[in-house]
Amino acid sequence: MNKYVIGLDYGTDSARALVVNAQTGEILASSVKYYPRWMKGLYCVPKANQWRQHPKDYLEVLEASVKEALGKCAPDVAANVVGIAFDTTGSTPAFTDETGTPLAMLPEFEDNPNAMFVLWKDHTAVKEAAEINVKCKENDIDYSQYEGGIYSAEWFWAKAIHVLREDPQVAAKAYSIVEYCEWLPAVLTGVTKASDIVRSRCAEGHKAMWHESWGGLPPEEFLVKLDPCLAGFRERLFETTETADKPVGTLCQEWAERLGLSTDVVVAGGAYDCHMGAVGAAVTPKTLVRVIGTSTCDIMVASYEEVGDKLIKGICGQVDGSVIPGMIGLEAGQSSFGDVYAMFRRVLEFPVKNILPKTLAGKLTEEEIQAAVDEVSDRIIAELTVEAEKIPLEESTMIATDWINGRRTPDANQLLQGTISGFTLGTTAPQIFRALVEATAFGTKAIVDRFISEGCPIESVIGIGGIALKSPFVMQTMSDVLGMPIKVCNTDQACALGASMFAATAAGVYQKVEDAIAAMNSGFAKEYQPDMQRHGRYASLYETYLKLGSFTEKELYVC
């Protein structure tokens, strides 16, 4: 009898549910649901880099996506689902009460952004991150040493301190803190105490300075040095963490009924989307998996012997078991990738959205005008790509940095902003777009070079996500800049597929994650080969990119 699993991938804008045959990896059905409050722009202040998400969004799309996906399957599928697993963005923490309920679920906090999940891209805690870095370097033990040695505003403790300082009401009510990828499994298994939430090795190891060598989280004494507002939290948080291949429980009665599943369904531990995505892409040692979306997350795995005592500087952590249990997971990434292109599109949309409707007023209906606006907006990137590809590399004289949302790696610095040089009176929109595409590729090379210089060899690259599948121009440029082949995963749902592999392992279909990878992977759709002549030309442009970046950081944004 076939066994089925459900992988749930929670991204920045939406969540998708994947129903998968646990024996073969065949995807039976999927469903994508957008977060309703998020799509309205609620609780976010882009100018202040504040990005918050309401926990109700997560629960509503959970029920809707799972039921819709199962509704597309044969009637016997739901009865034979054996496991379910989540991946989510991160670090995306929220404060909870003693029951483990995020404060925004309580009536008195339901519209308070500080009581919600603080999304990974929220950069309101830059000041707090800087303070953490100073305190880490002053301390006898640098608790950031396994997180690249630089603590980021995108991470757990910086966000916690910022919210506690900013909101006395939240601070007075807050009992514990939970990561998004930990909370969803807890909800499905009916957890009613914060202390009973199973904590993610992936999330806490990469973002909360958890490490076995100092007994888990940094000690209370150090946390209080960061800020007295953290007093008491360590005792109310946790000591141990678990890898995502282990079950945290089974579906509680309420959620079994809501999802149309059995209470025997095993719920796996949670982890971050990029880490499960790397598993979905069949990651192996010496391979860099790039999860390419609004930002990128770059994942590698390495044996204990290969890593040894090395502390890899400037990345987002090296954590035992964060990707594949029994190996060290390594994380890096760019704070913006697809967002770089989206920014330029928004710039070009100004006349489309603000002038065109006035020009067409009275000539077309409002519906026809909106349709015209939408059509033009949707075609901007595609048309820019066509024209940018025609520009000879020798004429690609504009240079840009990719830091429009700060820099994640190498060497986190969320204060940085993007720069572009090389404007002339003859500059065109396609030339600017090409420079932005090259900037994201140069940012990729900076990450690859850092791994290699720190003793982590990279022999090949795997790309997953919509951009990897749908933008040959971007992927070929990246391959040419790196001088490396890039394989593209055969599915645009590698993260959800990876989650399904963890669900299958937790449910006992497989003894270990590697067995699930071997049986359930989707293979590759395409492989890009570098043009080595272009690679040579890009080597020169990359040096200019580094010089522009150095000037930007040292002269314009000294911090």
Side-chain angles (χ1 to χ4, degrees):
M1 181 179 294
N2 287 327
K3 295 180 179 180
Y4 305 99
V5 288
I6 298 174
L8 283 147
D9 169 36
Y10 274 73
T12 298
D13 298 326
S14 62
R16 68 180 65 226
L18 215 62
V19 182
V20 181
N21 184 314
Q23 280 101 342
T24 66
E26 177 192 1
I27 297 172
L28 277 68
S30 66
S31 172
V32 178
K33 297 295 180 184
Y34 289 85
Y35 310 130
R37 295 162 187 81
W38 170 261
M39 295 310 289
K40 294 178 182 178
L42 301 179
Y43 316 120
C44 298
V45 184
K47 289 183 178 179
N49 281 316
Q50 175 181 302
W51 305 98
R52 310 293 166 87
Q53 291 185 330
H54 203 291
K56 288 184 178 179
D57 271 0
Y58 300 158
L59 298 183
E60 290 169 10
V61 300
L62 166 61
E63 184 171 3
S65 62
V66 170
K67 290 172 74 172
E68 181 174 89
L70 287 171
K72 298 176 182 178
C73 300
D76 66 324
V77 169
N80 291 293
V81 170
V82 296
I84 188 168
F86 293 90
D87 71 67
T88 73
T89 65
S91 177
T92 302
F95 284 100
T96 77
D97 65 10
E98 195 167 350
T99 71
T101 301
L103 298 185
M105 297 291 286
L106 308 178
E108 63 268 35
F109 292 105
E110 63 180 350
D111 291 316
N112 184 340
N114 292 319
M116 299 174 189
F117 282 92
V118 184
L119 191 64
W120 66 270
K121 68 191 284 185
D122 187 296
H123 287 172
T124 54
V126 170
K127 176 176 178 289
E128 288 77 9
E131 293 172 7
I132 291 173
N133 282 311
V134 170
K135 292 290 179 23
C136 281
K137 298 301 178 284
E138 291 175 346
N139 202 58
D140 291 340
I141 298 174
D142 181 353
Y143 292 109
S144 71
Q145 64 184 280
Y146 290 102
E147 295 178 302
I150 302 176
Y151 203 79
S152 168
E154 295 182 350
W155 297 351
F156 187 94
W157 291 114
K159 290 176 174 179
I161 296 171
H162 178 78
V163 170
L164 291 171
R165 287 175 174 176
E166 185 174 79
D167 197 318
Q169 289 181 311
V170 167
K173 184 68 175 178
Y175 178 85
S176 187
I177 315 168
V178 68
E179 279 278 354
Y180 176 11
C181 67
E182 300 164 338
W183 180 63
L184 288 170
V187 169
L188 261 60
T189 53
V191 170
T192 57
K193 290 183 179 179
S195 57
D196 291 340
I197 296 174
V198 176
R199 300 300 183 150
S200 165
R201 174 72 54 82
C202 174
E204 306 303 345
H206 281 283
K207 313 301 182 187
M209 299 191 284
W210 183 95
H211 199 270
E212 287 183 323
S213 65
W214 47 72
L217 293 170
E220 173 82 358
E221 179 185 5
F222 177 75
L223 295 177
V224 172
K225 282 182 182 178
L226 297 182
D227 196 294
C229 68
L230 292 178
F233 274 100
R234 191 189 191 284
E235 182 180 359
R236 301 194 298 268
L237 281 166
F238 54 90
E239 293 290 336
T240 61
T241 61
E242 299 291 347
T243 53
D245 60 318
K246 295 182 180 178
V248 303
T250 57
L251 283 180
C252 66
Q253 186 67 42
E254 176 191 352
W255 276 95
E257 292 176 359
R258 289 175 70 167
L259 299 179
L261 297 170
S262 163
T263 54
D264 293 329
V265 173
V266 171
V267 181
Y272 287 155
D273 46 8
C274 51
H275 298 72
M276 285 194 173
V279 169
V283 64
T284 57
K286 299 181 182 179
T287 297
L288 180 73
V289 177
R290 309 212 78 217
V291 185
I292 305 172
T294 54
S295 65
T296 76
C297 198
D298 299 334
I299 300 295
M300 294 184 66
V301 294
S303 67
Y304 300 146
E305 294 75 21
E306 184 178 354
V307 174
D309 295 328
K310 285 187 292 215
L311 293 172
I312 302 163
K313 300 181 182 66
I315 64 169
C316 300
Q318 53 190 85
V319 179
D320 183 7
S322 65
V323 183
I324 296 177
M327 302 189 81
I328 302 296
L330 307 170
E331 178 191 346
Q334 290 165 273
S335 290
S336 53
F337 195 97
D339 271 351
V340 174
Y341 315 147
M343 173 277 297
F344 189 47
R345 170 180 151 164
R346 286 194 301 274
V347 171
L348 297 182
E349 280 179 335
F350 178 83
V352 177
K353 292 187 172 181
N354 294 277
I355 299 175
L356 185 61
K358 297 174 184 176
T359 303
L360 297 178
K363 301 174 184 177
L364 299 174
T365 66
E366 289 187 8
E367 291 78 11
E368 289 171 330
I369 292 172
Q370 187 59 52
V373 168
D374 291 344
E375 181 180 355
V376 173
S377 295
D378 289 344
R379 291 175 59 181
I380 287 174
I381 296 297
E383 294 296 325
L384 284 171
T385 298
V386 170
E387 296 304 315
E389 285 182 301
K390 296 177 183 177
I391 300 171
L393 182 53
E394 294 72 20
E395 297 179 15
S396 183
T397 56
M398 301 191 76
I399 295 289
T401 61
D402 52 310
W403 304 334
I404 65 167
N405 193 30
R407 184 180 63 220
R408 181 177 296 157
T409 58
D411 305 321
N413 187 344
Q414 265 69 53
L415 290 176
L416 293 176
Q417 298 177 12
T419 47
I420 188 166
S421 67
F423 282 98
T424 72
L425 291 176
T427 296
T428 65
Q431 286 177 321
I432 298 173
F433 179 69
R434 184 183 181 100
L436 295 175
V437 170
E438 291 169 345
T440 55
F442 293 148
T444 304
K445 180 170 171 55
I447 291 169
V448 168
D449 286 356
R450 175 58 61 89
F451 272 123
I452 293 172
S453 69
E454 290 290 313
C456 298
I458 297 175
E459 295 177 353
S460 63
V461 178
I462 296 174
I464 66 176
I467 290 176
L469 275 169
K470 298 175 184 177
S471 184
F473 175 51
V474 171
M475 299 308 294
Q476 186 62 58
T477 301
M478 191 187 305
S479 178
D480 292 344
V481 167
L482 294 177
M484 290 183 180
I486 301 177
K487 294 179 181 179
V488 176
C489 203
N490 201 30
T491 176
D492 63 350
Q493 303 181 86
C495 293
L497 182 60
S500 75
M501 293 176 184
F502 279 98
T505 306
V509 179
Y510 300 101
Q511 292 299 307
K512 55 184 180 179
V513 173
E514 293 95 319
D515 296 337
I517 292 173
M520 299 174 68
N521 77 87
S522 68
F524 300 101
K526 185 172 184 178
E527 182 170 349
Y528 291 90
Q529 293 293 333
D531 181 321
M532 297 311 292
Q533 284 190 332
R534 296 170 69 84
H535 174 65
R537 169 62 179 158
Y538 273 131
S540 175
L541 292 176
Y542 178 66
E543 291 302 315
T544 307
Y545 164 85
L546 293 178
K547 291 176 183 177
L548 178 62
S550 177
F551 173 80
T552 300
E553 187 162 12
K554 294 179 180 178
E555 303 298 332
L556 300 183
Y557 299 103
V558 177
C559 55

